Amino acid sequence: MARNFVFHCQRIATMVDSPGAYGLMKTAAVAVEDGVVRWVGPQSDLPSEFGDWTVKSFGDRLMTPGLIDPHTHIIFGGNRAAEFEMRLNGASYEEIARAGGGILSTVAATRSASQQELLDDALPRVDALIAEGVTGIEIKSGYGLDQETEIRMLRAARMISQLRPIRVRTSYLGAHAIPPEFDNEADSYIDDVCIPTLRAAHDEGLVDAVDGFCEGIAFDPAQIARVFDVARELGLPVKLHAEQLSNLGGAVLAASYEALSADHVEYVDAEGVAAMARSGTIAVLLPGAYYTLHETQAPPVDQFRKAHVPMALATDCNPGSSPLTSLLVTMNMGCTLFRLTPQEALAGVTRTAARAIGMTDCGTIAPGQKADLAVWDISHPAELSYRIGFNPLHARIFGGVA
């Protein structure tokens, strides 16, 4: 049965990449057929072929594309609230680690959780994003660090889109950390666990992209390259946690593989920026981690602008460095902490976010795009970044259905 609608809205920010700010249209309409945008433009110009379609008016509101969160670790076991309290009471990272804390505590909790438990824990976090107009999300593995748990995480991620009206892209992040059973044996872990697990997960159809953590506390560029070589062999795009704490040349490495994105990138240098510009690699900025970790070096936003490197924003939702489940707060952080403009912030959670996770059929309101939309009780798009802790969502439209 056809689902044909014409949505009327006083203002529509199409976010089509054009000189006009936000791609803004006034007194506009969107014609949607079976969940896909057929036409968008002024209501007075609506073609006659859509004249008998069901009209739904959203009145004096603003419509945007549905928001997209392009970097999350939203599936994990347990939480690290106790460590948060320990840090605020003066405990050092070393003391927390000796007490069983840090990423390995999340690995232990995730390994002990069933697939259903991981799913049950993740769904409220996903629901929080949906309630803010999010229609697409990327979900990483990386807290199992063994084949059984990594695949369990990816299966749980796949199930989310069956249980909630949201589009999910999965990233295999086996190269996230060195598990305790491979202490000081990173190369052996890459060869004996990480790569075989990637192949097994790909065989099961669980992987949309391959990620890694290129950092002194994780893996060096040569080790990441071995994983990326297998991703290339399997026909999978890559992403990379790069230059978060230091500069190991991760952005240059990512660009050499034409990565979808390089994420964090606080310490990227001019060479890395230029490489990303040449390869079309998106810079995914993660202000939640910057805020939580009290970092002082912000990503080089001006350099990205000058080099025409598109910037996306994401929550980086994870139990340790960014326990954040609000993309609206992330937009405000991107503006206040990193000095993005509100237009850059909205592009960073719509069209650029879509590109960062390999989605080509969403992120703008244009013919041929999925009718994943958000309607807001605001008069100007800048209000989405301006407010803190306020959710003006009026309606969320997923696949053309409100």
Side-chain angles (χ1 to χ4, degrees):
M1 183 178 180
R3 295 177 298 157
N4 300 340
F5 299 96
V6 175
F7 298 125
H8 286 182
C9 205
Q10 184 59 34
R11 290 166 292 277
I12 296 180
T14 65
M15 300 312 295
V16 173
D17 196 0
S18 67
Y22 304 102
L24 199 61
M25 296 181 179
K26 294 185 177 181
T27 318
V30 181
V32 174
E33 181 177 28
D34 291 333
V36 176
V37 175
R38 285 280 309 278
W39 181 89
V40 58
Q43 293 176 20
S44 58
D45 294 343
L46 183 73
S48 58
E49 65 183 288
F50 309 124
D52 61 351
W53 288 14
T54 301
V55 174
K56 182 172 178 58
S57 176
F58 290 105
D60 189 23
R61 295 185 173 91
L62 171 75
M63 177 181 288
T64 70
L67 308 187
I68 297 168
D69 192 345
H71 181 129
T72 85
H73 306 253
I74 210 162
I75 291 180
F76 55 84
N79 69 72
R80 310 235 293 266
E83 295 175 33
F84 175 74
E85 186 172 34
M86 289 172 68
R87 282 199 305 271
L88 293 175
N89 281 309
S92 69
Y93 180 85
E94 184 178 354
E95 290 169 335
I96 291 171
R98 280 204 202 103
I103 189 172
L104 296 183
S105 68
T106 298
V107 171
T110 304
R111 286 179 174 181
S112 67
S114 69
Q115 181 174 313
Q116 189 62 49
E117 288 170 333
L118 291 174
L119 186 61
D120 289 345
D121 284 350
L123 285 174
R125 296 187 279 269
V126 174
D127 289 340
L129 291 170
I130 288 173
E132 289 191 344
V134 173
T135 55
I137 183 174
E138 184 256 16
I139 301 176
K140 304 178 191 297
S141 68
Y143 288 125
L145 308 182
D146 61 28
Q147 183 163 317
E148 179 185 353
T149 315
E150 289 291 304
I151 288 178
R152 188 159 66 241
M153 292 182 70
L154 291 167
R155 287 173 180 161
R158 281 282 192 248
M159 289 185 68
I160 285 175
S161 61
Q162 300 172 30
L163 298 173
R164 294 293 189 270
I166 193 165
R167 305 179 72 198
V168 172
R169 287 290 185 270
T170 59
S171 294
Y172 171 68
L173 183 56
H176 190 199
I178 303 166
E181 61 269 26
F182 281 88
D183 189 29
N184 295 318
E185 297 180 15
D187 286 304
S188 295
Y189 169 72
I190 291 291
D191 293 335
D192 298 342
V193 176
C194 183
I195 289 174
T197 301
L198 169 56
R199 293 187 183 279
H202 175 261
D203 287 346
E204 199 173 320
L206 297 173
V207 184
D208 296 318
V210 176
D211 202 344
F213 187 19
C214 187
E215 194 57 72
I217 60 174
F219 299 96
D220 64 35
Q223 291 160 344
I224 295 293
R226 298 214 304 274
V227 179
F228 281 6
D229 285 342
V230 176
R232 177 179 283 171
E233 173 196 328
L234 298 174
L236 294 169
V238 300
K239 304 164 63 68
L240 188 63
H241 291 60
E243 272 79 88
Q244 179 184 6
L245 306 172
S246 63
N247 187 347
L248 296 186
V252 172
L253 173 70
S256 73
Y257 285 85
E258 298 183 330
L260 292 172
S261 70
D263 302 24
H264 289 288
V265 292
E266 283 92 336
Y267 285 83
V268 68
D269 58 15
E271 181 185 5
V273 172
M276 292 172 65
R278 288 192 298 270
S279 65
T281 298
I282 305 294
V284 177
L285 310 185
L286 306 172
Y290 177 92
Y291 166 86
T292 301
L293 297 176
H294 298 275
E295 295 291 345
T296 57
Q297 179 151 330
V301 166
D302 282 340
Q303 290 187 49
F304 288 139
R305 286 186 186 124
K306 291 174 183 175
H308 303 290
V309 174
M311 293 174 284
L313 281 170
T315 62
D316 191 19
C317 176
N318 74 73
S321 64
S322 188
L324 173 62
T325 52
S326 172
L327 201 52
L328 294 176
V329 169
T330 300
M331 292 170 68
N332 177 269
M333 284 182 170
C335 293
T336 56
L337 299 178
F338 295 163
R339 311 307 295 174
L340 293 180
T341 67
Q343 184 181 345
E344 288 171 331
L346 185 54
V349 297
T350 54
R351 68 167 183 260
T352 311
R355 287 178 55 192
I357 55 177
M359 287 182 172
T360 60
D361 60 354
C362 61
T364 62
I365 304 176
Q369 294 278 282
K370 295 284 189 182
D372 296 343
L373 312 168
V375 180
W376 310 91
D377 281 314
I378 58 177
S379 60
H380 192 278
E383 292 184 56
L384 293 175
S385 296
Y386 156 70
R387 299 182 187 273
I388 306 172
F390 176 73
N391 181 3
L393 186 70
H394 172 76
R396 177 182 176 275
I397 299 167
F398 184 72
V401 178

